[in-house]
Amino acid sequence: MQWPDLRDPRHRAMAASLAVSVLMLVGKFTAYLLTGSAAIFSDAAESLVHILATAFVAFSLWYALQPPDPDHPYGHGKIAYFSAGFEGAMILLAAAGILYTAVQDLLHGPELRRLGLGVLLTALFSLINLLLGLYLIRVGRRHHSLVLEANGRHVLTDMWTSLGVVVGVAWWPGPGWSGWTR
């Protein structure tokens, strides 16, 4: 078995995806801690699911690129289909968590603060995810990597979720929306 080679564009793309996943997790949880917003919390929780999925995708990409061996005379590429399915299941799991958090917030009411800064951070992370998702899809298509394309689509799904959070929180008419300081 060969270790990942960062000279390979597929491995570089996957390394970028892992690094950005960690950045998203830290940044979105920071935005949640600043705001107390359940919407931002659900977006941060999805980032945790995304890291798990991305780590599995990274393994799948590495494994799929291994040369054929006696146990796998046709190579290891079929793991790409399993990886894409796992990625889809992680998206559904995140959606269920977001729905649960939203219902809890509707039942108990939010205690919001510093929404301006939280919205700004979330919007910035959404932009970063847009760029990363498009990059992963481009590299995946160029190198015929279903794993990278699926990961790129997951990143774009996360971007849309974050954008929905930005729009929803920015238009929140209730208490707590007093800008940067509260």
Side-chain angles (χ1 to χ4, degrees):
M1 299 237 168
Q2 300 171 350
W3 292 101
D5 179 5
L6 292 180
R7 292 174 293 183
D8 184 324
R10 297 168 293 189
H11 290 281
R12 272 196 316 271
M14 202 68 252
S17 184
L18 281 169
V20 169
S21 293
V22 172
L23 173 70
M24 291 295 126
L25 180 66
V26 171
K28 289 179 181 181
F29 269 108
T30 299
Y32 163 68
L33 292 173
L34 289 170
T35 64
S37 167
I40 293 176
F41 173 76
S42 66
D43 196 32
E46 196 283 331
S47 292
L48 179 61
V49 171
H50 182 77
I51 282 181
L52 297 174
T54 301
F56 185 74
V57 167
F59 168 76
S60 298
L61 177 65
W62 169 79
Y63 190 75
L65 294 174
Q66 299 304 305
D69 58 38
D71 291 333
H72 304 93
Y74 300 105
H76 300 84
K78 288 189 178 184
I79 196 170
Y81 298 103
F82 183 69
S83 174
F86 181 78
E87 191 101 31
M90 291 291 97
I91 291 170
L92 289 175
L93 182 63
I98 290 167
L99 180 62
Y100 174 80
T101 303
V103 168
Q104 291 300 312
D105 199 41
L106 283 173
L107 294 175
H108 303 291
E111 184 179 320
L112 304 173
R113 58 195 177 275
R114 299 187 72 181
L115 289 179
L117 183 56
V119 166
L120 181 65
L121 287 172
T122 305
L124 174 66
F125 297 131
S126 184
L127 176 63
I128 291 169
N129 269 343
L130 171 65
L131 298 173
L132 176 65
L134 294 174
Y135 168 69
L136 291 170
I137 290 171
R138 188 185 73 212
V139 173
R141 285 182 180 162
R142 185 175 293 152
H143 296 281
H144 308 288
S145 174
L146 178 63
V147 171
L148 284 175
E149 281 193 60
N151 187 242
R153 294 188 190 288
H154 184 178
V155 170
L156 289 179
T157 300
D158 189 32
M159 182 273 306
W160 285 111
T161 303
S162 296
L163 190 60
V165 167
V166 166
V167 170
V169 172
W171 282 336
W172 172 253
W177 180 251
S178 59
W180 302 93
T181 56
R182 273 193 67 183

